[in-house]
Amino acid sequence: DTLMTFVPYKEVLPLYDGGLEVPEDITLVWSNDNYGHIRRYPAGKEKNRKGGNGIYYHNSYWAPPGMSYVFLCSIPLAHTANELRKAYGEGIRKLWVMNTGAMKPLEQEIEFFLRLGWEIGKENVFGEEYGLTGNVDAYVEDWINRNFSGGIGRDAASLLNDFSQLTNVRKLELMDYDAFSQTAYGDEAVVRIHGFEELFHRGNKLYASLPEEEKAAFFQLVLMRIHAAYYTNLAYYYGDRSTLMDRQ
């Protein structure tokens, strides 16, 4: 049969909640909140629908200014895994759709999403969770080592995990003036800058260790996001510092 879907998302959700009847053979596709959190799960009769349930998950989001993130994904893979496992456990198993923007910096997230969808719910011969996606650090380490030489997977996995934790506090595209104080909380702005500076040097060191023919790909897939986050945060930091000095 031809797959037909109904997506109760944004302005359509109130219509559905208001009593709009959807034929039983149509798949209900639930969305996350655009920032990595599943906002609704099927309940009651929805779980037993003939058409089943699906999920529409964002790793990038195009919206009005101040809401979009299409350049980089800063949602930690561990967060994505947790949300998708909850969705699977709540019966969302018919269709999984991932929304992506620029594909090059999202290759790791795209592969993880697809692989998790393939591996979830399976067990190995020892009754343990099947596949790599059960351990995010192991997955990233394997992904790096499959794509680059030198055995840098563990160091790169640690780097990318720290990057996700830091940028998920405030997404790169959502940075704004005076978002982090330079006069309170132990100068939280400079602490954040020092965190990015550390990532910057760790990433550059890994880049320098690679053979020349792998450096461009490593920059595009890994290091570019580190550089972009560091320099963007620096721009706001020094802008805020200039404003602060002018006021003082």
Side-chain angles (χ1 to χ4, degrees), residues 14-41:
L15 299 178
Y16 177 77
D17 286 340
L20 178 66
E21 294 185 7
V22 180
E24 275 291 311
D25 59 344
I26 291 181
T27 301
L28 292 178
V29 180
W30 306 94
S31 176
N32 68 346
D33 67 350
N34 309 321
Y35 301 99
H37 302 86
I38 306 297
R39 62 193 297 186
R40 281 279 288 270
Y41 297 101

Side-chain angles (χ1 to χ4, degrees), residues 90-110:
E90 291 295 327
I92 302 179
R93 304 183 181 185
K94 181 67 176 289
L95 175 73
W96 283 12
V97 177
M98 179 182 180
N99 186 71
T100 62
M103 293 188 69
K104 179 63 75 173
L106 281 168
E107 283 192 24
Q108 181 188 124
E109 286 81 0
I110 293 170

Side-chain angles (χ1 to χ4, degrees), residues 78-91:
H79 178 90
T80 296
N82 184 60
E83 293 297 304
L84 293 176
R85 289 181 190 286
K86 287 194 296 183
Y88 182 85
E90 291 295 327

